[in-house]
Amino acid sequence: MRNLRNIHCSLVESGHLTACTWDVATDSIICASGPTKDSTLLELKRWKKYEKSLEPIASWDAPCPLPDLDHDKILDCHYFADILTVCLVLAGGDLVLVREEPQDGEDRIEIVGSVDAGISAAAWSPDEELLAISTRASTLLYMTREFKNVIDVAFTSGDLKVSNHVSVGWGKKETQFKGKKARVLRDPTMPETVDEGVLHHLDPKNTTITWRGDGSYLAVNSVEEGIRRVIRVFSREGALDSVSEPVDNLVGALNWRPAGNIIAGVQRLENVVRVVFFERNGLRHGQFDLRLTKKEMSSWATSISLKWNVDSSVLAISFKDRIQLWTMGNYHYYLKQEIICMLKEPSSNPIDICWHPEKPLHFASCAVDGIQRLAYAPVVSSSPTLPTHDYGVVAVIDGRNLKLTPMRVANIPPPMALHEVEVGYNVADVAISCREFERTTLYLAVLHQHFLSLFRWATDSLGCQAPSLVWEVSLRAAFSMPYLLSLQTAFSPDGSISVLQRSISGPRLRIFDSKGLLRLDGEPDVDRQVEILVAQRLGERPDACLVLDSQYSTIYGCSEDCIYLLKVANFSISVKRCSTQTIDCVDYSHPKQIHEHMTVSNGKTLPTSGLTTNGVDPEEESIFFRLDEHGSLYANERCLVKNCTSFLVTQLHLIFTTSQHLLKFTHLASRAEGLEIPPDTPETDERCRSIERGAKLVTVMPSIFALVLQMPRGNLETVYPRALVLAGIRESINYKRYKKAFLACRNHRVDMNILHDHSPSQFLANVGLFIDKVKMVEHIDLFLSQLREEDVSLTMYKETLMEGHTPEAPNREDRSAYVTSPSNSKINRICDAFLDELSGCPQDYLQNIISAHVCKSPPDLEAGLNKIAKLRKEDNDQVDATVEHICFLADVNKLYDTALGLYDLELTLLIAQQSQKDPREYLPFLQNLRKMPELRRQFSIDDFLGRHAKALSHLCDLDAFEEVKAFAVKHNLYAQTLEYYRYQDQKASELMRLYADYLQQEGKYKDAGIAYESLKDYASACESFRQAHLWRESLSVASMDPVVYPHIQSLALSLANTLTESKDFHSAATIHLDYLSDLSTAARLFCKGYHFAEATRLAGLHKRLDLLEAKIDPGLIEGMASMTELLSDCKSQLNAQVPRIRELRTKKAGDPLAFWDGDVAGGADVPDNVSIAPTNASTTGGSLFTRYTNRTGTVGTNATRKTSKNRRREERKRARGKKGSVYEEEYLVNSIRRLIDRVNAVGDEVSRLVMGLMRRGMRERARAIESAMVEVIETCKGCVEEVFQPAKLTGMVDTEMPEAEVNGYRPQGGDGVFLDSIEEASKPREAPIVKAFERLSLLGG
């Protein structure tokens, strides 16, 4: 779908140029003139870019040594840029080197070799290491770069027997299926006629040599014994690989496609000239006609040569006075350009063309009268992409045919097209635009070499009617001009058409008005030769602009009286303004009146797209996008990406493709620095999506959210990217075009929650407008049925437009007020808004009212069924339809239960009839219910539906107390029953007794004891409190019951023993003192609980001073021993675990892979990047989470690891924290945390112990225990900061964990435990607080 548009054209006159070649280092051209019949002088000259004259290099006389030649002739001219040397191969047999900078002992001009028999053809290999020479004695020579002959091969008639050709009939009609009734079944490999290789009468009998792109093979086209042409294919070693099959009227032109798949030749028949293709094995493989008339065949097309460009995309066919450029797509060859060369008189040989070795679409052509340098760019000629004009019309040039396809109407892949317009001459350029005052018409400006045509195309008949010709004007100069080449055409904003031409003197600009009248004809005031490009403009008036020289100017028709010239040099941009009346240029610092984004191209850029207006302020910056041939996309001076392959610009987006096969969207901003390039994350970002390898942009139609891509093989694909769709939906919502937004969501499968979530308050305030716009009941139902609590504008459709760049539209409010909660449901808010709006028109939107009730969260089925019940009472004829609709929306079983719960048996019957229930099941049930009294029926229904609390209320109303008790016991409804009978003491007591028994059975002893005590059942209450370990309540209740009181001492002893076992020494001692009068045991228990002060007080109170030495002093000594042992263990644990943690962390930081035990058995190499996605497949290194186990596993074992049994085993390993395992550090940190908690807990006990020891005169013991405690406290404080420092994860954890979460992968089983451990380690660790220990001042504290 791309045309070749000229971006550079420069001319220089010179006498009789015969050959040229490129100097890639300086981007200049080396050309040679002579020798001729009249002069033996041979001159070499250099033509630098933008220079208007040739710089001489050397000249010398070159007489022809062969008497049968009138004069010598240059067969090959090659420049070695590394040694600054030109190599010329002459037909007379001489090999000449011309050195621009000769070294000492070297001649500037040197004949380095000579072939006595003469040379018929020569060609250097692509790597410049071999020179292939065909001699006039029918031999092939290979010479090295030092001109040493390494191979000498003779052409013989025996070569024709090398290949035994068997054609399989590719593309022949003989191989096509003709049906079962075909009269003749013949061998398709046998052609109807067999060519004999007859020579054409115009064949000059010349020889041609061409190399394959990789230099492995070369082909030689020569005449064998004067009767037929033969193409011989030789390997680089000189071995004959194959010869071509005989082809009648094959001429000498030959060129091997650099890609290597085909060899192009020319066949001249009586009525047609065609390019034929051969495979390396010599067999024919396709062809195409050159579309020449008989007159042309006998005039300028009598001599033809071929030359492929460096990337095999363009085939240049040279004639006597012109060059044609052909491209191929979908196996069809397009004639894209025809360049008429600068000739004062006809030439007998084809124009010599030389493609640039590095720039694919740059070439030079030399003729008798001068040399041309031209450059082209592949661009899409398409209509504007501004909405309302974005019909997606693409014009494809194919010689005299203009193929037109409006992509908005029909996506027809090339080479087909919806319409074809035939013009009288080969088309050079085409521009498409629409005028501001004619919104329903497209205009096409078609440029030929000597004519400009304007076509009109009505937009309402794009699919059925071709464009019609409006006018055609001649571009021939009114005055004598020796040479004028038409290059480009473009529309101006006022509807006029600009044409850029090139003459010998320089560029020429001609402007025609909309009626074809010449408004302006002159030469712009630029002092450089011109490169040109037409870019499309997508502003308020969607037109095109002309882009001139990259070194100097860009012509942009922005107003009716002036043209802006844009200078692009060294990635900086400056502007001049040119009057359309005088062509005089004045400096213009910045185009304040231009508020468009343009696409510019300099000499090193590849233009693809146009400019757009996005409503920026006049004071803001104009952004110019350009793409160079290396794939760098620039916005003004800023490089956006370096791997771009094509791009387009719309009102809202910069769209481009990358070499990673991604399609990206960038929101336009007011400044180039504000453009945000999306990352390569098509899974999560709407601005990025994957495309087919090598796909490029063709056109975009924002109004229908469509984007057309062309694949490398030529076929088209229309996609609807999420970025375009969502941008259109958001814009429609902002401007309250709800129907358009709804249909876009419906057609492109976008979650309809965005209609509300994009602007919640606006939507809720305009629910009525939404209903009026959408109208269709089914569409409103579709919207309501898809409501979800999730805010999709913050999740799956998160806005990617940066703050401050939002286009003018209603502001989106703060969403903090719309956070979903059980009491503030988004779904319920929307449904309530619809119900409020629809309440005034229930008949038209009855179905929507039902949907709004049912779609609530949770569904309000009762309200929906009540609405249907109301309709049924009104004898509305829509009852059946609404019942069917509500059954479609909700679970019919739930509807049946809900209708039954409304006690409406007729409505229940209607719902049951819409279900799959068996009538034999529900009809008897409903009939039985109908026969019951109302309260009994309501009880039965609620009991059937499981609404036991409500059924209980009906049963209580029936005053059936025995049934109530049984029902309460059955369904545990004691509390509800007690509430109902709270004023009936006798019944309440019976129910409380039942409730207490139930609580006792359920193990709720405390509640049961309270219930028994309230019923004055002290024996049961005492037992319940005892089982609840409530000794105070149990003993107090026992004191109230005369039956239990005699046994109170045994009860007290039992409770004391229980409390002693649970280490509640203070409570146990209190029982021994108060209820058992055992002062000695009480003192001992107080000492066990470190309550020495209380024990001492009791000894003094009861005058038992003997207890001080008998019980308290031994208790102090025992407590000191226990505490000393505890503190010693804590100190040892800290001294062992803190250094180990330090060692583990040092190892992890130094070698993460070794820390996680990533080495495989046997020392096999594993990748340094351990973030390899885990799979179930068997791999050398195992999965991510099994590396530390040093196992590789298989699919079966990996699957087994995901079992719950394995998870439990891994959890046990984690809890143990075995030394050397990956869980050791986590275990040690948690162990120290527990130790600090334990030390904090015993602080008060140590204080009481120290005080007790001092009071009993044990000063040294008190000092020792206090010092031990202080030392442990200081050690804990010193290690807290180190042990509980913020996690610094390395290696696997840094890279893999976020990726695992993003990709949605979470391991199971043992791997899941390992992941939990890593995640726990990655969280910030909260350091425990070490409580201060207050030392006793008597001990020096």
Side-chain angles (χ1 to χ4, degrees), residues 924-981:
F925 174 70
L926 295 178
Q927 289 172 358
N928 291 335
L929 291 176
R930 189 182 297 273
K931 297 175 183 179
M932 296 179 183
E934 183 177 359
L935 285 176
R936 179 60 67 175
R937 179 169 61 247
Q938 291 176 355
F939 165 74
S940 300
I941 290 174
D942 290 331
D943 187 25
F944 173 77
L945 296 177
R947 300 187 297 190
H948 303 299
K950 195 171 183 181
L952 180 65
S953 65
H954 296 307
L955 195 59
C956 292
D957 292 338
L958 289 172
D959 198 17
F961 184 66
E962 294 301 324
E963 289 187 52
V964 169
K965 289 197 297 182
F967 194 78
V969 171
K970 180 179 180 181
H971 298 292
N972 300 328
L973 299 174
Y974 302 101
Q976 295 88 335
T977 311
L978 285 169
E979 179 68 20
Y980 189 82
Y981 289 102

Side-chain angles (χ1 to χ4, degrees), residues 1112-1126:
I1112 295 176
D1113 288 351
L1116 286 169
I1117 296 173
E1118 182 182 355
M1120 179 200 171
S1122 300
M1123 192 60 66
T1124 302
E1125 183 180 1
L1126 174 63

Side-chain angles (χ1 to χ4, degrees), residues 805-937:
H805 297 150
T806 306
E808 296 180 6
N811 293 328
R812 298 181 62 191
E813 69 282 355
D814 182 15
R815 296 169 174 270
S816 59
Y818 296 98
V819 177
T820 300
S821 64
S823 60
N824 186 23
S825 170
K826 178 188 85 172
I827 299 176
N828 294 345
R829 286 198 311 271
I830 298 174
C831 291
D832 289 339
F834 271 83
L835 290 172
D836 294 340
E837 193 66 35
L838 296 173
S839 59
C841 47
Q843 297 301 324
D844 297 334
Y845 295 96
L846 183 60
Q847 182 172 313
N848 297 140
I849 294 174
I850 300 298
S851 299
H853 285 301
V854 175
C855 291
K856 285 187 177 183
S857 178
D860 192 358
L861 300 180
E862 289 190 8
L865 291 172
N866 283 329
K867 187 67 177 177
I868 296 175
K870 183 178 178 181
L871 291 175
R872 185 177 57 80
K873 293 178 181 178
E874 297 173 357
D875 294 332
N876 195 305
D877 55 357
Q878 298 186 21
V879 172
D880 292 339
T882 53
V883 170
E884 183 178 354
H885 178 64
I886 197 172
C887 291
F888 171 75
L889 292 177
D891 185 358
V892 70
N893 294 318
K894 292 183 179 180
L895 286 172
Y896 176 82
D897 294 342
T898 305
L900 190 60
L902 296 175
Y903 314 120
D904 190 337
L905 299 183
E906 294 185 5
L907 180 61
T908 306
L909 182 60
L910 287 175
I911 297 297
Q913 290 172 348
Q914 294 292 331
S915 69
Q916 300 296 322
K917 292 179 178 293
D918 189 348
R920 292 176 296 181
E921 295 179 3
Y922 64 80
L923 282 179
F925 174 70
L926 295 178
Q927 289 172 358
N928 291 335
L929 291 176
R930 189 182 297 273
K931 297 175 183 179
M932 296 179 183
E934 183 177 359
L935 285 176
R936 179 60 67 175
R937 179 169 61 247

Side-chain angles (χ1 to χ4, degrees), residues 60-128:
W60 70 96
D61 287 327
C64 181
L66 299 179
D68 56 337
L69 294 178
D70 295 337
H71 59 87
D72 217 339
K73 178 182 178 182
I74 299 176
L75 298 179
D76 184 78
C77 178
H78 191 82
Y79 185 78
F80 296 98
D82 53 345
I83 57 176
L84 304 179
T85 301
V86 183
C87 176
L88 297 177
V89 180
L90 304 180
D94 292 338
L95 306 178
V96 182
L97 288 183
V98 180
R99 301 180 178 90
E100 291 190 274
E101 298 179 3
Q103 302 293 326
D104 294 340
E106 293 181 341
D107 296 329
R108 185 176 184 85
I109 302 171
E110 179 183 1
I111 300 177
V112 294
S114 181
V115 178
D116 296 337
I119 300 175
S120 58
W124 282 94
S125 63
D127 58 0
E128 299 182 338

Side-chain angles (χ1 to χ4, degrees), residues 604-664:
K604 298 181 180 180
T605 64
L606 178 64
T608 349
S609 184
L611 73 136
T612 182
T613 299
N614 68 332
V616 298
D617 189 83
E619 298 300 324
E620 294 179 345
E621 179 185 42
S622 295
I623 303 178
F624 302 86
F625 296 103
R626 59 187 185 273
L627 173 66
D628 68 21
E629 61 189 6
H630 303 294
S632 297
L633 179 61
Y634 290 88
N636 293 349
E637 292 81 12
R638 178 191 172 192
C639 180
L640 300 179
V641 293
K642 294 185 178 181
N643 58 349
C644 181
T645 56
S646 64
F647 77 99
L648 289 171
V649 182
T650 68
Q651 245 186 335
L652 301 176
H653 295 98
L654 164 68
I655 310 170
F656 61 93
T657 56
T658 70
S659 56
Q660 275 75 36
H661 326 302
L662 296 174
L663 174 65
K664 293 190 175 184

Side-chain angles (χ1 to χ4, degrees), residues 1267-1310:
S1267 299
M1269 184 64 181
V1270 169
E1271 185 177 359
V1272 171
I1273 290 291
E1274 294 301 325
T1275 305
C1276 290
K1277 288 181 178 180
C1279 73
V1280 164
E1281 183 177 356
E1282 178 183 0
V1283 172
F1284 298 96
Q1285 64 182 357
K1288 296 180 181 179
L1289 303 177
T1290 57
M1292 173 173 57
V1293 181
D1294 281 340
T1295 58
E1296 184 64 20
M1297 290 308 103
E1299 181 181 351
E1301 293 297 329
V1302 169
N1303 296 335
Y1305 171 77
R1306 189 170 187 85
Q1308 304 296 324

